[in-house]
Amino acid sequence: MGRAWGEMGTRVIHSLRARSRQDRVVAWVLRIALASVNVLTVLIAVGLLLKSMPILRTQSLGKLLLSSTWKPLQSQFGLLPFLSGTIATTVLAMLLAVPVCLLSAVYLAEYARSRVRNWIAPVIDLLAGIPSVVYGLWGVLVIVPAVRVLGKALGYSTTGYSLLAGATILGIMVAPIIISICTEVLRAVPTEARETALALGLTRWEVTRHVVLCSSRRGILAAVVLGFARAAGETMAVLMVVGNVPRVPSSLFAPAYPLPALIANNYGEMMSIPMYDSALMMAAFVLLVVVALFNLAARLALLRFARDEQ
Amino acid sequence: MNKRRQLEERFFRLCMVLSLILVLSVLVAILLTVFVKGAPALNLAMITQTPKGGYYLGKEGGIANAIVGSLCLAGGATLLSLLAGLPLAFALQREYSKRRTAGVTRLVLDVLWGVPSIVYGAFGFVIMQYLGVRASMLGGILTLTLVILPFMVRAMDEVIRMVPLELKEISYAAGATVWETSLAVVLRQALPGIVTAVILSFGRGIGDAAAILFTAGYTDYLPRSVMDPVASLPLAIFFQIATPIPEVQQRAYAAALLLLIIVLVVSLGSRVLGQRLARNILH
Amino acid sequence: MPHIRLRDLEIRYGKNTALRGINVDIPDGQLTAIIGPSGCGKTTLLKSINRLLDLYEEVQVRGEVQIDGANIYDPKADVLELRKKVGFMPQRPFPLPMSIYDNIAFGPRMHGITGEQIRVRIQQLKSQHLVEAVVGPAMSGAAPGSPMDLLVEHYLRLAGLWDEVRDRLREPAAKLSVGQQQRLALARALAVEPDVILADEPTSALDPISAKLIEKQFRLLKATYTIVVVTHVLRQARRIADYVMFMYLGELIEHGPAQQVLTAPRDERTKAYVSGEIS
Ligand SMILES: Nc1ncnc2c1ncn2[C@@H]1O[C@H](COP(=O)(O)OP(=O)(O)OP(=O)(O)O)[C@@H](O)[C@H]1O
Ligand SMILES: [Mg+2]
């Protein structure tokens, strides 16, 4: 009897010990896994940087970024046409998208009944989930011909594959991100803010403009920056409609050639030409750094906004 | 004075409604275009046959290679992400890591989610070059995993974080260890959200083209081994829309419609399934 | 001074009835305190007088709130005018995201007030004995700035905040302490020239000293404004109220002069609440 009790006691203790040891092991494994995420991030950056070292040794970064001569066969890798292509398409896309998105978000957050809001949110999510090539396809079928017609009407000779077409598609693609983040940000503004301003005899729009938008401007800016970063890195859809001519775009109806499109278009041939792969990897590295920094800034701003609103 | 202000109110309200209508009608236009173009092209032969004459030659055949390839790529990447992501999502919780570490890693994951998939594609390509591997299904799956992992981890992290502390305390009080509690209580409670995250990740994975452009390659044949190149729906659209041959373009339309249907199903399915599971688990 | 009259007021949030059968005339030029246990509908009643419930969906209002005989829930009523006439201070003060100065100037600016109107208004304020009590001698002689500066100073004085913020008018209002923010809210509400001031537990977030400051301002202001204050603190009601409304579970149980309701209530429930049995 006594022995049996003793045995059971040790067994329980044993298993308890085993269990808490298991617990500690799991905790360590998880911590290591977590650390490896951060290591991986660094690894991606370093990997691309290492691959772009060869070209950085032959030419300075400034020259690479600011020269507009792109002649791989003569080892001239000026990235300016592509940088300007990215900046032009992205900025134009934001100009097209931000006002529409902001107004939509304000409507959803301030005016729409919750039934409408709950109904529209999944639809916006759906828009965000459409694959980029499908946007591209739609752009080829609808936007490009439309831009061609518009260009002809305005006296430009254009194929339609142009800066404007790329920017339009990009604008549509970033709309769901901007709308949903802005709606969330606006709804985080406390009701007291609205009551206070409304009680002064303001209209709903005045309340929105002077109080709600003002106190959430940091969050809204973050949403726009996130949209901007997404647009700058978007590849396939833009590639399909933007024309891809390595020249600094001269008008809305001229073709452009953003960085991601450059990378995507040339992987096939880059092995055969010296330094070509290095130049492309440098382009990828530049893209990574720029987009990551924008994302970081926006995320930090959103975190700060969330903390302030509490 | 008030008249003018009321007018301003009405003007901006009109602008808002018009903006929202614009956004929604673009969505409708995209759906309509793809359905109108894709529906006639989508038939049994299209989804059961591989192309007979390459994407530059036309001839008969369908996009079975791309369908199977895409399912393999996205399925494999989702599975890998789940295997790696679930532990990571748990590791972010306060039972396992300090608030600061978790906060920084969350930020890193959010930033990674924002990194363009073409960059992951380039990175994957660099690694594969280094290892001397050519474009293959394995390469595609691994690269795609990089693309969807951050999203999946963060989505699961958010639902796991929502599990109330009280519930865990009951489990601790009953003598369970932290890890046992994570498995038995937290995982069960968070399951609907995790399922939603997995489905959504699959949707993101199957639509991505830029990451697999370098790494998975393209082929007219069904995949035979993970070391062979593999076709995919997004690239089927991308390559075949650019040809002047009508039959080949038809394949692009069909692929687009299929992809869109998959995305719709994923979007709907994640909602329905998430809610259904939630109903079973709570109470 | 407007006369506020509630007739058969019933308010629902969806299916949940928050107020029913409210009939009362709120006395002009006095301070009315609404008391009652938590959740009895005090805030709802207060907001209904300013149509702030419009912000919430699913709110149904039946019956009438008459101000000077006109029902404010009439579809043709001018809500902007109404809200200008009836000021509101929420429970938690919310400084508008701008400077202290702009917080006060904001309302008048939105209503497009001119410099001339401001001058007239300040003369009026001065002619009232109330403002003489507030405006210090330094003010009257000194060279005045723009009319808006004068206006801002006046209302900050009226809310008892001027001396604390006179040197930091351009700082963001969010930097003020909560007690100061509450007085800022009072000044901001006063600046659009309301006749009525509604305040929802204006001292609940404040320390006793800040609370006393607010009470002091209310006692001063009630000579020229109709003030309605929701309060949880019976002692506060005793200190400042002229008239008391006691509410319980969405109904108005008893109302009358403060002296009577607080010391010799007629209804059993009021008795129980006033003696501290229900809270
Ligand atoms: N926005 C709302 N939606 C639904 N119900 C509400 C809302 N606001 C208040 N209620 C309900 O209406 C009733 C009265 O609420 P109200 O806020 O007016 O009470 P109160 O007397 O101010 O309480 P307290 O003293 O706690 O502030 C409560 O039952 C409350 O649950
Ligand atoms: Mg209240």
Side-chain angles (χ1 to χ4, degrees):
Chain A
M1 184 69 185
R3 235 185 65 173
W5 270 114
E7 254 180 30
M8 254 175 80
T10 38
R11 220 172 29 233
V12 169
I13 290 170
H14 261 308
S15 77
L16 248 180
R17 243 186 230 149
R19 282 166 60 205
S20 67
R21 193 166 57 227
Q22 178 200 22
D23 216 44
R24 275 201 304 277
V25 170
V26 167
W28 270 109
V29 170
L30 290 186
R31 256 171 238 148
I32 292 169
L34 209 55
S36 63
V37 168
N38 300 309
V39 172
L40 179 71
T41 312
V42 175
L43 211 65
I44 293 176
V46 169
L48 292 178
L49 184 60
L50 280 182
K51 283 300 280 189
S52 42
M53 275 328 277
I55 193 158
L56 285 173
R57 272 203 207 96
T58 60
Q59 293 166 46
S60 76
L61 184 66
K63 197 171 157 232
L64 283 168
L65 294 183
L66 296 178
S67 153
S68 59
T69 330
W70 178 257
K71 286 183 181 142
L73 288 172
Q74 290 147 34
S75 288
Q76 289 189 304
F77 299 103
L79 288 177
L80 188 66
F82 310 101
L83 280 178
S84 61
T86 290
I87 292 170
T89 44
T90 315
V91 169
L92 188 57
M94 297 318 276
L95 287 180
L96 293 173
V98 168
V100 173
C101 293
L102 255 185
L103 285 167
S104 303
V106 166
Y107 184 80
L108 288 176
E110 303 290 316
Y111 289 86
R113 300 184 147 260
S114 56
R115 280 242 308 285
V116 177
R117 198 162 44 231
N118 293 339
W119 181 84
I120 290 192
V123 176
I124 302 275
D125 280 352
L126 180 65
L127 200 57
I130 294 180
S132 139
V133 269
V134 175
Y135 277 107
L137 179 82
W138 186 70
V140 171
L141 293 175
V142 177
I143 298 293
V144 168
V147 168
R148 184 163 50 225
V149 170
L150 182 68
K152 292 263 158 66
L154 294 176
Y156 288 91
S157 75
T158 173
T159 54
Y161 292 90
S162 60
L163 177 58
L164 183 59
T168 310
I169 284 293
L170 273 183
I172 295 170
M173 291 182 73
V174 297
I177 303 170
I178 301 182
I179 292 177
S180 53
I181 297 180
C182 279
T183 311
E184 243 170 76
V185 161
L186 292 174
R187 291 187 55 72
V189 174
T191 329
E192 279 98 339
R194 301 187 180 91
E195 282 175 354
T196 304
L198 216 52
L200 294 176
L202 270 62
T203 61
R204 277 313 285 275
W205 167 248
E206 286 164 346
V207 172
T208 305
R209 204 184 125 207
H210 296 284
V211 178
V212 180
L213 284 178
C214 253
S215 46
S216 55
R217 59 187 164 221
R218 194 197 303 270
I220 288 171
L221 188 67
V224 172
V225 170
L226 277 182
F228 190 91
R230 172 68 30 123
E234 178 46 51
T235 312
M236 304 309 276
V238 191
L239 169 63
M240 289 164 81
V241 300
V242 83
N244 303 325
V245 176
R247 216 181 298 133
V248 178
S250 55
S251 83
L252 284 184
F253 298 96
Y257 205 164
L259 269 184
L262 168 75
I263 305 169
N265 258 342
N266 294 291
Y267 79 104
E269 44 194 288
M270 68 190 188
M271 304 314 301
S272 48
I273 303 168
M275 286 294 176
Y276 202 169
D277 62 335
S278 188
L280 288 186
M281 289 309 153
M282 200 197 79
F285 181 71
V286 169
L287 196 61
L288 170 71
V289 170
V290 171
V291 170
L293 284 182
F294 271 90
N295 263 292
L296 191 64
R299 291 289 171 189
L300 285 174
L302 279 177
L303 284 178
R304 231 182 114 183
F305 174 77
R307 211 182 42 215
D308 286 355
E309 286 307 317
Q310 267 166 16
Chain B
M1 183 63 198
N2 282 2
K3 259 274 164 42
R4 207 211 71 217
R5 293 167 58 199
Q6 301 277 15
L7 216 66
E8 189 180 311
E9 166 86 25
R10 260 192 237 136
F11 171 75
F12 278 103
R13 197 185 290 219
L14 185 72
C15 289
M16 289 173 207
V17 174
L18 288 181
S19 298
L20 200 56
I21 289 176
L22 180 67
V23 173
L24 295 180
S25 55
V26 166
L27 176 67
V28 172
I30 293 174
L31 295 183
L32 267 184
T33 313
V34 174
F35 270 90
V36 166
K37 283 279 184 182
L42 198 62
N43 50 39
L44 198 62
M46 186 60 92
I47 55 177
T48 54
Q49 293 179 7
T50 54
K52 297 284 185 298
Y55 61 79
Y56 30 83
L57 284 181
K59 299 214 184 137
E60 319 216 304
I63 49 170
N65 57 334
I67 298 172
V68 175
S70 253
L71 290 177
C72 290
L73 284 171
T78 309
L79 194 66
L80 274 188
S81 298
L82 179 63
L83 290 180
L86 198 55
L88 281 175
F90 272 109
L92 283 171
Q93 309 310 311
R94 63 168 146 197
E95 295 97 300
Y96 297 108
S97 45
K98 295 202 193 72
R99 244 188 74 187
R100 220 184 130 69
T101 324
V104 170
T105 314
R106 283 195 179 105
L107 193 62
V108 168
L109 285 167
D110 284 343
V111 171
L112 283 180
W113 172 233
V115 167
S117 59
I118 186 86
V119 171
Y120 288 114
F123 175 72
F125 185 70
V126 168
I127 297 293
M128 286 165 68
Q129 251 186 328
Y130 182 75
L131 298 176
V133 189
R134 66 196 177 105
S136 60
M137 186 196 283
L138 187 64
I141 288 179
L142 288 174
T143 315
L144 217 46
T145 305
L146 283 184
V147 175
I148 61 180
L149 185 67
F151 170 78
M152 202 195 261
V153 173
R154 284 292 281 125
M156 295 196 294
D157 167 40
E158 290 293 331
V159 291
I160 292 176
R161 205 147 46 135
M162 287 299 140
V163 174
L165 187 62
E166 291 79 15
L167 214 64
K168 293 187 236 174
E169 278 169 352
I170 294 171
S171 169
Y172 298 147
T177 62
V178 174
W179 175 239
E180 285 163 351
T181 305
S182 294
L183 280 187
V185 178
V186 180
L187 187 61
R188 237 179 96 78
Q189 188 72 16
L191 200 58
I194 291 175
V195 170
T196 309
V198 170
I199 298 177
L200 285 177
S201 306
F202 178 82
R204 291 295 148 98
I206 206 165
D208 200 285
I212 52 177
L213 188 60
F214 305 170
T215 52
Y218 198 84
T219 167
D220 280 346
Y221 306 103
L222 290 174
R224 235 171 273 115
S225 99
V226 289
M227 299 313 288
D228 286 337
V230 63
S232 53
L233 284 171
L235 292 183
I237 302 172
F238 178 61
F239 288 134
Q240 307 192 78
I241 189 65
T243 67
I245 308 165
E247 299 95 78
V248 179
Q249 284 190 350
Q250 289 300 306
R251 289 189 215 142
Y253 298 144
L257 180 55
L258 253 174
L259 208 48
L260 203 56
I261 290 173
I262 292 174
V263 168
L264 278 171
V265 168
V266 159
S267 185
L268 271 172
S270 67
R271 261 161 221 281
V272 173
L273 223 62
Q275 277 160 13
R276 175 146 327 143
L277 282 172
R279 237 180 285 141
N280 286 343
I281 289 220
L282 272 177
H283 326 298
Chain C
M1 210 169 285
H3 190 61
I4 305 173
R5 196 193 275 254
L6 311 185
R7 284 294 171 265
D8 298 324
L9 189 65
E10 175 175 322
I11 293 175
R12 289 195 205 163
Y13 293 101
K15 292 199 184 74
N16 170 20
T17 308
L19 288 181
R20 69 178 77 80
I22 308 288
N23 278 295
V24 64
D25 283 26
I26 291 173
D28 313 340
Q30 295 190 19
L31 193 150
T32 301
I34 305 179
I35 59 172
S38 192
C40 66
K42 305 182 294 289
T43 301
T44 308
L45 180 69
L46 205 63
K47 286 184 183 169
S48 74
I49 303 177
N50 204 0
R51 281 192 61 173
L52 281 180
L53 295 171
D54 292 7
L55 267 180
Y56 304 93
E57 305 171 24
E58 301 207 308
V59 172
Q60 294 166 10
V61 181
R62 302 230 181 94
E64 298 195 344
V65 175
Q66 298 170 359
I67 295 188
D68 287 335
N71 178 19
I72 62 171
Y73 285 95
D74 190 324
K76 287 196 287 280
D78 184 346
V79 193
L80 296 189
E81 271 311 310
L82 162 75
R83 296 213 179 106
K84 195 162 165 281
K85 197 150 69 174
V86 181
F88 178 82
M89 293 169 63
Q91 189 164 356
R92 195 156 56 111
F94 185 89
L96 298 176
M98 45 188 94
S99 69
I100 296 172
Y101 182 98
D102 289 331
N103 259 272
I104 311 294
F106 182 63
R109 273 191 202 135
M110 291 314 293
H111 290 286
I113 194 169
T114 62
E116 192 48 44
Q117 284 169 311
I118 293 178
R119 251 176 242 121
V120 171
R121 196 199 281 190
I122 289 174
Q123 280 313 314
Q124 281 173 356
L125 285 171
K126 274 189 179 160
S127 68
Q128 290 163 354
H129 106 106
L130 159 79
V131 174
E132 281 174 5
V134 179
V135 173
M139 174 55 218
S140 40
S146 78
M148 193 55 96
D149 291 352
L150 273 178
L151 177 131
V152 169
E153 177 177 346
H154 260 92
Y155 286 113
L156 281 172
R157 282 179 185 278
L158 213 52
L161 189 59
W162 172 251
D163 290 328
E164 287 158 68
V165 300
R166 60 190 309 164
D167 300 324
R168 41 196 286 216
L169 290 173
R170 296 291 165 187
E171 278 181 33
K175 283 192 179 166
L176 294 174
S177 76
V178 184
Q180 291 170 328
Q181 286 179 9
Q182 194 60 285
R183 275 175 285 152
L184 183 74
L186 178 59
R188 187 175 54 208
L190 291 173
V192 290
E193 286 216 290
D195 300 313
V196 182
I197 294 169
L198 310 172
D200 189 3
E201 303 192 32
T203 60
S204 67
L206 307 187
D207 60 284
I209 303 205
S210 307
K212 286 272 154 51
L213 280 174
I214 288 273
E215 283 181 21
K216 179 176 151 228
Q217 277 341 107
F218 278 148
R219 271 201 299 267
L220 262 171
L221 292 168
K222 73 185 182 190
T224 29
Y225 297 88
T226 301
I227 303 178
V228 185
V229 177
V230 167
T231 178
H232 246 118
V233 190
L234 268 176
R235 266 178 293 147
Q236 186 175 55
R238 292 209 167 88
R239 282 195 296 268
I240 57 174
D242 306 310
Y243 198 83
V244 170
M245 295 163 60
F246 171 67
M247 302 189 55
Y248 190 65
L249 298 179
E251 287 179 60
L252 180 59
I253 305 296
E254 189 165 351
H255 58 96
Q259 194 65 26
Q260 181 250 308
V261 176
L262 293 175
T263 56
R266 296 196 189 99
D267 193 280
E268 284 306 313
R269 289 164 290 188
T270 322
K271 220 172 267 173
Y273 183 77
V274 170
S275 64
E277 278 167 40
I278 11 178
S279 55

